Amino acid sequence: DKTVSLRKDLSEMHEWITQAEEEYLERDFEYKTPDELQKAVEELKRAKEEALQKEVKVKLITDSVNNFIAKAPPAAHEALKKELDVLITSYQQLCSRLNGKWKTLEEVWACWRELLSYLDAENKWLNEIERKLKATENVQGGAEEISESLDSLERLMRHPEDNRNQIRELAQTLTDGGIMDELINEKLEKFNTRWEELQQEAVRRQKSLEQSIQSAQETDKTLRLIQESLAAIDKQLAAYTADRVDAAQVPQEAQ
């Protein structure tokens, strides 16, 4: 009987839709690791593609039902037409929901990758600060050399807050959705702790270098005064020598 065959096709398709909904849309997903999230993205993509492939079967069932309805009396096709309408609506909703969930997970995955990218960029900057702090730990030379080291450190510290703000916002977006919250909080705590420690160390080093510059300037000034005094004494002594003046005849400081 054609009606029985059509109802069987409709029933099998309904069962597949129900199973797909339970498997991909009604099941609770937990994403605690990047691997779990990536696997879910790939799984939803396959489910979406599989649902789209079922479009051929839905069309065949639709054509079969419509062909049957066109030849059968009205009393025989009202129920079938209603079942077909329900099937088509359910199928379209399934495709739409699967596609929507896949896109959402794709955006979540992109958000995670973007967070990693910003963390990587900021950690590279922190690595530069660490190297600079080590390089300025025992700066040798006068005020000019120390001033160059201070300028170099201050230029490096003039780093925009944009990346750190992005890290904060991306992490908040993910953890608000319960996505890898433990992992992200751990990464953020580690990053923020390192950031704060290096900032504080950089501020201390700047003050230390400023003090070193001041000390070097005072030393340079003292040396200059000594050199000027020695030059004046040397000139005076040279004059005494030229005039063949005896040491006993000159002031005590000249002697």
Side-chain angles (χ1 to χ4, degrees), residues 114-132:
E114 192 176 4
L115 173 61
L116 289 182
S117 174
Y118 279 114
L119 279 170
D120 182 60
E122 285 302 276
N123 277 312
K124 284 179 180 176
W125 171 66
L126 292 177
N127 290 342
E128 287 184 43
I129 292 178
E130 276 188 330
R131 285 192 289 270
K132 183 62 68 176

Side-chain angles (χ1 to χ4, degrees), residues 160-195:
E161 284 277 319
D162 297 359
N163 284 4
R164 198 175 180 214
N165 291 335
Q166 284 291 333
I167 288 170
R168 194 180 297 112
E169 289 174 12
L170 289 166
Q172 190 70 48
T173 299
L174 289 166
T175 54
D176 282 350
I179 309 295
M180 298 183 289
D181 45 358
E182 290 182 11
L183 176 64
I184 289 171
N185 287 333
E186 182 183 325
K187 281 184 173 292
L188 240 62
E189 185 178 352
K190 184 179 179 181
F191 166 73
N192 287 328
T193 299
R194 188 181 182 215
W195 193 92

Side-chain angles (χ1 to χ4, degrees), residues 174-220:
L174 289 166
T175 54
D176 282 350
I179 309 295
M180 298 183 289
D181 45 358
E182 290 182 11
L183 176 64
I184 289 171
N185 287 333
E186 182 183 325
K187 281 184 173 292
L188 240 62
E189 185 178 352
K190 184 179 179 181
F191 166 73
N192 287 328
T193 299
R194 188 181 182 215
W195 193 92
E196 294 290 347
E197 287 175 352
L198 287 173
Q199 285 285 327
Q200 291 170 9
E201 178 59 31
V203 169
R204 285 194 293 269
R205 185 59 49 81
Q206 284 172 311
K207 289 180 180 178
S208 174
L209 289 171
E210 287 168 358
Q211 291 171 353
S212 296
I213 290 170
Q214 189 176 352
S215 297
Q217 287 173 338
E218 290 172 358
T219 301
D220 289 347

Side-chain angles (χ1 to χ4, degrees), residues 46-179:
R46 284 195 299 270
K48 174 185 72 84
E49 290 170 350
E50 185 182 350
L52 288 175
Q53 289 168 3
K54 292 289 183 181
E55 185 177 5
V56 175
K57 187 169 184 179
V58 172
K59 190 175 185 306
L60 287 172
I61 294 172
T62 301
D63 290 344
S64 296
V65 171
N66 286 335
N67 288 336
F68 175 77
I69 287 172
K71 299 172 184 176
H77 63 61
E78 280 185 16
L80 266 178
K81 184 70 171 75
K82 188 175 181 180
E83 286 183 44
L84 177 63
D85 291 341
V86 170
L87 173 68
I88 292 172
T89 301
S90 298
Y91 172 73
Q92 289 174 344
Q93 286 178 346
L94 175 69
C95 289
S96 177
R97 290 176 67 193
L98 284 174
N99 191 54
K101 187 164 186 177
W102 171 70
K103 281 185 176 178
T104 299
L105 284 183
E106 276 272 281
E107 290 170 5
V108 169
W109 178 251
C111 187
W112 163 248
R113 299 299 303 170
E114 192 176 4
L115 173 61
L116 289 182
S117 174
Y118 279 114
L119 279 170
D120 182 60
E122 285 302 276
N123 277 312
K124 284 179 180 176
W125 171 66
L126 292 177
N127 290 342
E128 287 184 43
I129 292 178
E130 276 188 330
R131 285 192 289 270
K132 183 62 68 176
L133 289 172
K134 286 180 181 177
T136 58
E137 198 166 354
N138 294 301
V139 181
Q140 302 297 321
E144 187 175 342
E145 289 84 358
I146 301 171
S147 182
E148 285 177 3
S149 294
L150 177 61
D151 289 343
S152 176
L153 178 59
E154 287 179 339
R155 280 196 302 273
L156 187 57
M157 295 307 295
R158 286 195 287 272
H159 185 71
E161 284 277 319
D162 297 359
N163 284 4
R164 198 175 180 214
N165 291 335
Q166 284 291 333
I167 288 170
R168 194 180 297 112
E169 289 174 12
L170 289 166
Q172 190 70 48
T173 299
L174 289 166
T175 54
D176 282 350
I179 309 295

